[in-house]
Amino acid sequence: MRSPQNRLQQIAHIARSMQQQLRYLQDCGYNFLPRMQPGNQQTKQDQIMSQTKQITTMDPPVHNPSSAGVAQPSDHAPPPHSATPTAQAQLDQLQRQEIGDCMRCKLCSHRTHIVFGVGNPQAKLVFVGEAPGAAEDAQGQPFVGRAGQLLTRMIEAMGFKRQDVYICNVIKCRPPDNRDPEPDEVKACEPFLKQQLSILQPKVIVALGRYACQCLLRTNQAMSKLRGNWSSYEGVSLMPTFHPAYLLRSPSKKREAWEDLRQVLKKLQQP
């Protein structure tokens, strides 16, 4: 049975999630919440509370060996040192040993830091962007500039924190003056992105912007054709949507991006 303090903490967490979602909806231009259709007995508050509860309880359950009905470890279980490396260990190996001080393309001569990726290695949701900008290059982490701040608000509006998801880019080094990545640069970096996604094994990938979408989907289709339509990357559901930097330049598109994220939430809640 949960203590009153735990219940209060859960209520406070749900309230914060609702507040973050409402703030982002307001940022998207919404100034009202739609009324429920006649015949639906669920109130809007109940709907948001239910959605938030589902979102915030998507982590795999923690098994307590002392609990009744839980099987005890087998006497024949392999010793710990023979276990498969964790996702975090595999990501660390990819970053340090395989990428290392990468000099596979000309971007190495301009960078300050290689921007590998950040977040929960067990995340069900991964955001893939294009390439680091100036702030990312300086700090060595993806999406920490103005576009990153908007992405954080988008993530929080979904009911998550940044540390609940995983964030990375197609290109790991900043192109000079934030120019578009060139084909040889994408070719050099793409294998590392593929390895990252193979290790992470998410349920849903959100591809942010044209380059991420075209790279992952192997297509030259325009963003206007791809955005908002479910695709698949090696068996993983992929939602193409606008890059946050584009949304900063075109705020009117935030509503469309939010509709894409709503589809993502529905997909994540499916068994």
Side-chain angles (χ1 to χ4, degrees):
M1 182 175 180
R2 293 180 179 176
S3 68
Q5 184 178 5
N6 287 340
R7 289 182 179 178
L8 287 173
Q9 290 174 345
Q10 184 183 30
I11 292 170
H13 174 69
I14 292 172
R16 284 194 299 270
S17 297
M18 292 172 63
Q19 184 181 46
Q20 289 161 351
Q21 186 178 52
L22 291 171
R23 282 179 177 173
Y24 183 73
L25 289 175
Q26 187 178 38
D27 193 33
C28 289
Y30 291 97
N31 54 18
F32 68 94
L33 290 174
R35 297 179 63 182
M36 300 297 292
Q37 294 296 324
N40 191 332
Q41 300 300 316
Q42 189 181 38
T43 67
K44 186 64 181 178
Q45 291 86 347
D46 290 339
Q47 186 183 42
I48 295 175
M49 291 279 282
S50 174
Q51 182 187 64
T52 306
K53 183 177 180 181
Q54 286 177 305
I55 294 168
T56 56
T57 57
M58 285 193 297
D59 290 334
V62 177
H63 296 287
N64 184 353
S66 63
S67 301
V70 177
Q72 298 296 321
S74 168
D75 292 337
H76 302 289
H81 67 268
S82 66
T84 302
T86 64
Q88 185 61 62
Q90 294 178 67
L91 290 169
D92 290 343
Q93 181 178 5
L94 173 62
Q95 182 177 8
R96 295 171 184 171
Q97 298 183 18
E98 298 191 40
I99 296 179
D101 188 20
C102 183
M103 300 181 69
R104 293 170 178 84
C105 77
K106 56 186 176 295
L107 293 180
C108 66
S109 61
H110 301 279
R111 72 169 182 246
T112 302
H113 291 104
I114 294 175
V115 182
F116 180 72
V118 68
N120 181 0
Q122 305 294 333
K124 295 178 175 66
L125 176 59
V126 173
F127 291 86
V128 179
E130 176 185 310
E136 291 76 19
D137 182 53
Q139 298 184 40
Q141 291 197 12
F143 285 94
V144 292
R146 288 185 63 231
Q149 293 167 15
L150 177 56
L151 178 61
T152 298
R153 294 202 300 273
M154 294 163 69
I155 291 168
E156 291 174 345
M158 297 175 75
F160 296 107
K161 298 177 182 178
R162 273 183 68 112
Q163 58 265 36
D164 297 328
V165 304
Y166 195 88
I167 306 171
C168 58
N169 284 305
V170 174
I171 301 293
K172 309 303 183 190
C173 298
R174 181 195 179 197
D177 301 318
N178 291 341
R179 63 161 171 76
D180 290 341
E182 296 178 354
D184 63 311
E185 297 161 357
V186 174
K187 184 178 180 180
C189 253
E190 185 181 10
F192 302 129
L193 173 63
K194 287 182 171 291
Q195 289 182 68
Q196 275 180 298
L197 295 176
S198 176
I199 292 168
L200 292 166
Q201 297 186 357
K203 183 172 183 178
V204 177
I205 297 169
V206 176
L208 300 167
R210 176 167 58 95
Y211 274 90
C213 294
Q214 292 181 345
C215 175
L216 292 171
L217 297 178
R218 297 291 188 185
T219 181
N220 290 320
Q221 278 192 301
M223 196 64 198
S224 59
K225 300 290 185 182
L226 296 171
R227 194 237 107 223
N229 297 307
W230 283 110
S231 297
S232 177
Y233 167 80
E234 297 191 0
V236 178
S237 298
L238 185 148
M239 172 56 70
T241 194
F242 296 124
H243 194 285
Y246 173 77
L247 295 177
L248 290 174
R249 299 191 301 269
S250 306
S252 63
K253 297 294 185 181
K254 287 181 180 179
R255 284 196 181 198
E256 295 176 46
W258 176 243
E259 293 304 317
D260 300 340
L261 297 183
R262 288 182 62 193
Q263 290 194 63
V264 170
L265 285 174
K266 290 179 183 178
K267 182 73 71 174
L268 287 169
Q269 291 163 12
Q270 293 174 4

